[in-house]
Amino acid sequence: KDKYILFNDQCKMGYQHSTATLHFCRSGAFGDNHLVINSNGCIGIGTATPATPLHIHTDSASDKTIFLDNNGSGRTGLTLRTDRNSDGNGACFIHFDAADDGGNNTRYATIESFIVDNTNGTEDGSLRFSVMAAGSDVESMTIAAKSGTSEIGWVGIGETDPDKPLHIKGTNTAGIVIENTTNATNMDIDWYNNVGSVAGRIRYSEG
């Protein structure tokens, strides 16, 4: 049998036997769920059937966010952690899903972290950004360290293992566009020496 506590006919907390779930409801009915905990320990907010350890569901035309608020002087953050520890393994990810014109759930973009070298004390990692292109998931940009060194911030565009601090790779086209929307101003590419001074420059002079 269902077991519950009813608070002034306005909200209910109880166990539903048929679904083996613990419900916290804003009314006297089990179907009006604010929070549900199922037999696997999964928590559903706005759903009676959580599919993951934490499943938040809403049906609204308004934007919805998750808000972490710290009213003190400390920082606020979000940590994603796994015990995977093999070189080349993906570690953590963020998916960006939406529907296509057929109503199918589609993954339009992904951010993933990867283990490049798991050696204790000299670990290397990378961060990859992927987007949907012509119906396929394409790794578009990678931020990595030069393996085995302290050099960081190597960027690969179209390349997951950059050979230089900036590595651009294209199948049919590859190039760099530098655009200045103000007329009669110079556009420069500068080379700096180890004391932070310009050692060389390529300049396009307008006007």
Side-chain angles (χ1 to χ4, degrees):
K1 290 183 177 182
D2 295 341
K3 304 292 184 181
Y4 59 87
I5 301 173
L6 186 62
F7 299 91
N8 199 28
D9 293 329
Q10 298 298 314
C11 57
K12 175 186 283 188
M13 177 180 68
Y15 174 78
Q16 188 174 35
H17 181 266
S18 60
T19 58
T21 51
L22 181 64
H23 291 244
F24 298 83
C25 310
R26 64 183 180 185
S27 72
F30 273 131
D32 196 6
N33 298 296
H34 265 166
L35 188 146
V36 170
I37 304 174
N38 69 15
S39 58
N40 294 319
C42 296
I43 298 173
I45 299 176
T47 176
T49 55
T52 59
L54 176 60
H55 185 165
I56 302 173
H57 173 78
T58 185
D59 186 356
S60 173
S62 301
D63 294 344
K64 299 299 179 183
T65 63
I66 297 175
F67 181 37
L68 304 178
D69 186 13
N70 181 1
N71 202 40
S73 60
R75 299 186 299 170
T76 301
L78 179 66
T79 299
L80 306 177
R81 186 193 175 280
T82 178
D83 272 341
R84 300 187 79 183
N85 63 355
S86 297
D87 289 353
N89 271 354
C92 302
F93 57 86
I94 302 174
H95 289 158
F96 300 89
D97 293 6
D100 62 14
D101 62 2
N104 304 299
N105 186 69
T106 302
R107 187 146 295 150
Y108 285 97
T110 301
I111 301 174
E112 293 183 88
S113 64
F114 282 83
I115 302 167
V116 177
D117 180 2
N118 68 352
T119 304
N120 184 27
T122 60
E123 300 91 338
D124 296 317
S126 67
L127 192 65
R128 295 183 189 173
F129 298 79
S130 303
V131 296
M132 183 67 71
S136 298
D137 180 66
V138 178
E139 292 179 345
S140 302
M141 186 175 76
T142 298
I143 301 174
K146 183 179 179 181
S147 185
T149 75
S150 59
E151 296 185 36
I152 60 173
W154 287 41
V155 177
I157 300 176
E159 171 60 50
T160 61
D161 186 19
D163 295 322
K164 297 291 182 182
L166 177 60
H167 185 160
I168 301 174
K169 179 180 180 180
T171 302
N172 297 313
T173 58
I176 300 174
V177 175
I178 301 175
E179 181 176 359
N180 190 342
T181 59
T182 303
N183 291 330
T185 56
N186 297 325
M187 290 185 287
D188 298 338
I189 300 175
D190 292 342
W191 284 263
Y192 281 72
N193 58 25
N194 62 349
V195 295
S197 301
V198 176
R201 171 175 292 164
I202 297 175
R203 167 169 289 180
Y204 171 78
S205 183
E206 177 73 29

